[in-house]
Amino acid sequence: MRGALKEAEKAYNKEEVPIGAVIVLENKIISRGHNLRESKNNPLYHAEIIAIDKAAKKLKKWRLNDTKLYVTIEPCPMCIGAIINARIDLVAYGAKDEKAGACGSVINIPEIKKLNHKVAIKSGILEKECKKIIQKFFKKLRNKI
């Protein structure tokens, strides 16, 4: 999760919503990503999507079996859909997203029994640190307005 927090810092420094993600295979980080929606003007550029894209390119396959994704904030519906489709084994996230979280906060997509892949979910990893950077970002944004 520390690697994901470093990615969140990169997003923060670019004035992006500070969410970071890393994908791990055999205890090694194989890809990293952070939000780039604002700078790329693209709603798809979430940290998880970027990390998945990089991992698939690195491994030269779309099935990312045996990998784990660490992300600072609970994935949204789009991201958990991509995670399931990529066959990632585990998602570990830091803080809940009470407005858009799709792993239990608003909806719980991984619990849908008819899906063809089951992903394990672990929450609360370095939760305080993950919450702190996002709160700091939105406080700074509100003070600008």
Side-chain angles (χ1 to χ4, degrees), residues 64-103:
L64 303 178
N65 302 88
D66 304 318
T67 62
K68 297 173 183 169
L69 185 141
Y70 294 84
V71 61
T72 55
I73 301 297
E74 179 182 2
C76 72
M78 175 182 70
C79 290
I80 196 63
I83 289 161
I84 290 166
N85 281 312
R87 313 294 196 265
I88 293 171
D89 289 348
L90 169 77
V91 171
Y93 69 85
K96 290 188 173 296
D97 183 344
E98 299 294 339
K99 294 182 180 178
C103 297

Side-chain angles (χ1 to χ4, degrees), residues 60-135:
K60 295 183 172 88
K61 60 183 185 174
W62 65 267
R63 288 179 185 89
L64 303 178
N65 302 88
D66 304 318
T67 62
K68 297 173 183 169
L69 185 141
Y70 294 84
V71 61
T72 55
I73 301 297
E74 179 182 2
C76 72
M78 175 182 70
C79 290
I80 196 63
I83 289 161
I84 290 166
N85 281 312
R87 313 294 196 265
I88 293 171
D89 289 348
L90 169 77
V91 171
Y93 69 85
K96 290 188 173 296
D97 183 344
E98 299 294 339
K99 294 182 180 178
C103 297
S105 290
V106 177
I107 58 174
N108 199 338
I109 292 173
E111 290 296 314
I112 297 171
K113 299 210 182 308
K114 289 188 174 189
L115 293 174
N116 66 338
H117 176 72
K118 301 298 175 212
V119 60
I121 304 293
K122 191 170 185 181
S123 63
I125 313 300
L126 298 179
E127 182 176 10
K128 200 179 288 184
E129 293 93 328
C130 293
K131 234 185 228 184
K132 184 178 177 183
I133 189 170
I134 208 135
Q135 289 172 337

Side-chain angles (χ1 to χ4, degrees), residues 1-24 29-36 45-52 54 69-73 126 129-130 133-134 137:
M1 188 61 79
R2 297 253 179 241
L5 278 164
K6 285 181 184 176
E7 289 299 309
E9 284 287 337
K10 290 178 187 177
Y12 182 91
N13 292 333
K14 294 176 182 176
E15 297 186 348
E16 295 276 355
V17 175
I19 298 173
V22 296
I23 296 181
V24 173
I29 294 174
I30 62 165
S31 70
R32 303 169 184 274
H34 56 273
N35 275 6
L36 292 172
Y45 278 44
H46 287 211
E48 301 96 319
I49 301 297
I50 293 167
I52 289 167
K54 288 179 179 179
L69 185 141
Y70 294 84
V71 61
T72 55
I73 301 297
L126 298 179
E129 293 93 328
C130 293
I133 189 170
I134 208 135
F137 174 80

